[in-house]
Amino acid sequence: MSTVLVTHVPARLARFVLRMFPLRTHAAYGLLWALALEASAVSLTGTAWRPTGATWVRVLSVVLALLFLRMLDEQKDLDHDRVHHPDRPLVTGAITAAELRGAMAALTALLTGLNAALSPAAVLLILSALGYALLLAALERLSATVRDRQLLNLAVTYPVQVLLGIYVYGTLAADGTVPADWRAGVLLTLCACVFLHFEFARKTAWEAPPGARLYSAGLGPRRSAAVTAALAAGAVCCQIALFLPDGPAGLLPCLTAALPAWGLRRFLRARRGGWPLPAATGFVAGTHLALIARASVLP
């Protein structure tokens, strides 16, 4: 690569990030997820939550880790994108695999430095998530079954998100802010149900266009819709288990379940198209915002 091209790399990476990791969606999700998880964990100790400097290290670490995963996915999906998404940056040459790998190395170094300011446990936990993602990329290259079977692929790739959730909760437990008890598992399950509701919603449709990787293609539209709705119900059940002792006011985040209920009804009645994504997006954003608000106000 020439010197001129090297000087262009930051701009090329910036364009990649703006297109493939839009701040209003991907970064906003990382922000809300990390804040909701920390805030809920702290509120369960009986203390109203307030963000600290460590909070913003966790938030930034989650967002940067999600960006790392997006860069990795772009490389993993290259062969598929050449056929079905020829306008993707890596396919068109708007970015190269070497540039993405360099950016991933820089992100790893930055995440290590950020979390060294928290604790050795924080460094270990964040690097564990990145390391698992890299192992999965190697596994997908070796196994067409893991790569091409949607449900199996989800089963082996989703634990990366679980590890990021463990990073947030684990760093809180490491500094003595929260206990490492049964509530940690329920809270992480709550976050998983919220995310997986959206994941299934965006890949549930009555029709399967060529090249589309839909869960409904394997499960069928109705069963995929049932799983989508069940995940939202699972999130509500987790909130009841965690927050019922606070009384009715503690369960206000459960009101966002009206959105998946409406989405399911509309999807089944339409018998065409996909799950209404505004309802799924609203459920994710609304639940996280409600959890943050609840933790900020209620002891």
Side-chain angles (χ1 to χ4, degrees):
M1 183 180 292
S2 69
T3 303
V4 174
L5 288 177
V6 169
T7 63
H8 293 168
V9 169
R12 286 159 63 86
L13 285 169
R15 287 193 293 269
F16 171 86
V17 171
L18 290 174
R19 179 177 175 189
M20 304 306 298
F21 193 80
L23 300 183
R24 69 181 182 278
T25 53
H26 292 63
Y29 166 72
L31 168 71
L32 293 177
W33 173 35
L35 289 179
L37 178 52
E38 177 181 309
S40 297
V42 172
S43 73
L44 288 170
T45 67
T47 304
W49 170 78
R50 296 293 182 270
T52 65
T55 300
W56 301 116
V57 171
R58 294 184 186 101
V59 168
L60 183 57
S61 294
V62 168
V63 172
L64 292 178
L66 293 175
L67 176 57
F68 179 100
L69 298 177
R70 178 80 281 280
M71 291 178 170
L72 183 59
D73 285 344
E74 188 73 5
Q75 297 169 75
K76 289 195 304 181
D77 296 339
L78 180 57
D79 290 339
H80 181 270
D81 290 342
R82 283 190 176 119
V83 177
H84 301 288
H85 303 287
D87 62 335
R88 290 284 177 87
L90 195 55
V91 179
T92 63
I95 198 76
T96 68
E99 289 167 346
L100 290 178
R101 288 193 294 269
M104 290 165 62
L107 287 173
T108 302
L110 178 57
L111 285 166
T112 301
L114 279 172
N115 285 279
L118 291 182
S119 67
V123 175
L124 177 62
L125 289 170
I126 196 67
L127 293 183
S128 295
L130 303 187
Y132 184 80
L134 293 172
L135 287 175
L136 283 178
L139 176 61
E140 289 187 45
R141 284 196 300 270
L142 295 172
S143 174
T145 301
V146 172
R147 184 173 61 248
D148 298 331
R149 292 180 59 181
Q150 281 293 97
L151 291 174
L152 177 60
N153 186 266
L154 178 64
V156 298
T157 58
Y158 181 70
V160 176
Q161 293 254 355
V162 176
L163 288 171
L164 288 177
I166 291 173
Y167 157 76
V168 174
Y169 198 99
T171 53
L172 288 166
D175 65 18
T177 302
V178 301
D181 58 17
W182 65 271
R183 291 173 294 185
V186 179
L187 188 53
L188 291 172
T189 301
L190 163 59
C191 292
C193 286
V194 172
F195 172 81
L196 289 173
H197 168 75
F198 178 80
E199 170 68 11
F200 267 82
R202 74 187 185 95
K203 295 183 179 180
T204 293
W206 289 97
E207 309 88 14
R213 295 175 170 177
L214 303 180
Y215 299 120
S216 52
L219 293 173
R222 288 182 177 83
R223 281 190 291 180
S224 188
V227 172
T228 304
L231 288 164
V236 172
C237 290
C238 289
Q239 291 178 68
I240 291 172
L242 290 170
F243 307 132
L244 185 58
D246 295 332
L251 298 178
L252 287 177
C254 294
L255 295 177
T256 59
L259 290 168
W262 174 81
L264 177 63
R265 180 173 180 271
R266 179 170 178 179
F267 178 79
L268 293 178
R269 292 186 65 181
R271 294 179 177 271
R272 61 185 178 84
W275 186 284
L277 282 185
T281 303
F283 176 69
V284 174
T287 299
H288 286 143
L289 285 169
L291 289 172
I292 294 167
R294 175 201 161 278
S296 301
V297 175
L298 295 176

